[in-house]
């Protein structure tokens, strides 16, 4: 057994560009999951290039992807509450099954993946950054209060009676 480099009580881990090869080297021989189970927040730095672990920590609550794609995301734990998709090209990140307790989904990417046909009802904040131009499916998450459609969104919005009932913030981008 390889002794894990990271302490088992670790709650937050930020992996910047300088750490990508170092962490990749040290996580290859670790048993799954290679990251401490105590981890709640995992942020991949702007230019981190290492691969995703085969499994994410089972109690992870917040995940931020790197700018440069690292391949498909591993399965997202059911405890995940915040997902920030940041990147140059995220069209290959499958988000077809979002965790049922997800509250925040922000796609701060020039290219954003398709959203699943059904978003979790727990979702409170949805940001469609970059060039998101796909239609949005209904029904809306019943708890959605914040909706940012991004700069390039130009699809027809549903009639007001079909909009999220508790919506408090709506941003229509410059191309709407």
């Amino acid at each position: 057994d390889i002794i894990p480099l990271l302490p088992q009580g670790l709650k937050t881990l930020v992996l910047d560009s300088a750490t990508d090869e170092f962490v990749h080297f040290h996580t290859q021989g670790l048993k799954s999951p290679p990251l401490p189970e105590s981890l709640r927040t995992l942020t991949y730095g702007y230019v981190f290039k290492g691969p995703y672990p085969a499994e994410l920590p089972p109690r992870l609550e917040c995940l931020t992807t790197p700018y440069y794609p690292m391949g498909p995301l591993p399965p997202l734990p059911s405890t995940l509450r915040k997902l920030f998709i940041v990147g140059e090209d995220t069209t290959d990140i499958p988000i077809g099954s979002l965790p049922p307790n997800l509250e925040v989904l922000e796609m701060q990417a020039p290219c954003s993946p398709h959203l699943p046909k059904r978003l979790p009802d727990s979702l409170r904040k949805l940001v469609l950054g970059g060039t998101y131009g796909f239609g949005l499916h209904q029904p809306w998450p019943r708890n959605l209060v914040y909706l940012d459609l991004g700069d390039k969104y130009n699809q027809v919005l549903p009639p007001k009676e079909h909009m999220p009932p508790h919506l408090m913030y709506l941003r229509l981008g410059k191309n709407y």
Side-chain angles (χ1 to χ4, degrees):
D1 284 342
I2 295 176
I3 298 172
L5 174 68
L6 303 172
Q8 285 304 309
L10 192 65
K11 301 286 185 204
T12 300
L13 178 60
V14 178
L15 300 170
D16 285 324
S17 60
T19 59
D20 60 348
E21 291 178 25
F22 177 74
V23 171
H24 175 70
F25 174 80
H26 283 284
T27 59
Q28 291 307 299
L30 295 178
K31 293 182 178 177
S32 185
L35 296 171
E37 290 189 14
S38 60
L39 206 60
R40 299 292 187 271
T41 301
L42 177 58
T43 301
Y44 287 98
Y46 189 73
V47 292
F48 183 87
K49 297 182 197 106
Y52 287 116
E55 292 180 33
L56 292 170
R59 288 177 248 153
L60 193 67
E61 296 175 358
C62 182
L63 175 64
T64 302
T65 66
Y67 188 81
Y68 296 105
M70 301 189 326
L73 281 171
L76 300 173
S78 62
T79 55
L80 196 69
R81 295 196 182 283
K82 297 177 182 179
L83 177 58
F84 301 96
I85 298 176
V86 181
E88 183 176 78
D89 178 13
T90 57
T91 54
D92 65 340
I93 295 179
I95 58 169
S97 85
L98 294 172
N101 296 319
L102 193 68
E103 295 175 0
V104 175
L105 175 57
E106 289 192 23
M107 296 189 287
Q108 302 288 335
C111 300
S112 298
H114 290 274
L115 289 172
K117 292 192 185 292
R118 178 94 177 156
L119 295 170
D121 277 331
S122 58
L123 198 65
R124 298 182 52 77
K125 182 177 183 179
L126 177 60
V127 177
L128 305 176
T131 59
Y132 192 88
F134 310 113
L136 296 173
H137 304 284
Q138 296 174 34
W140 294 92
R142 68 175 175 250
N143 293 316
L144 194 65
V145 295
Y146 186 106
L147 179 58
D148 182 336
L149 294 173
D151 289 334
K152 305 280 182 172
Y153 189 83
N154 61 4
Q155 303 293 316
V156 175
L157 287 175
K160 67 180 176 181
E161 59 270 10
H162 295 289
M163 291 295 285
H166 303 291
L167 195 63
M168 297 174 72
Y169 177 92
L170 175 63
R171 178 180 172 263
L172 302 174
K174 60 185 175 185
N175 287 352
Y176 191 78

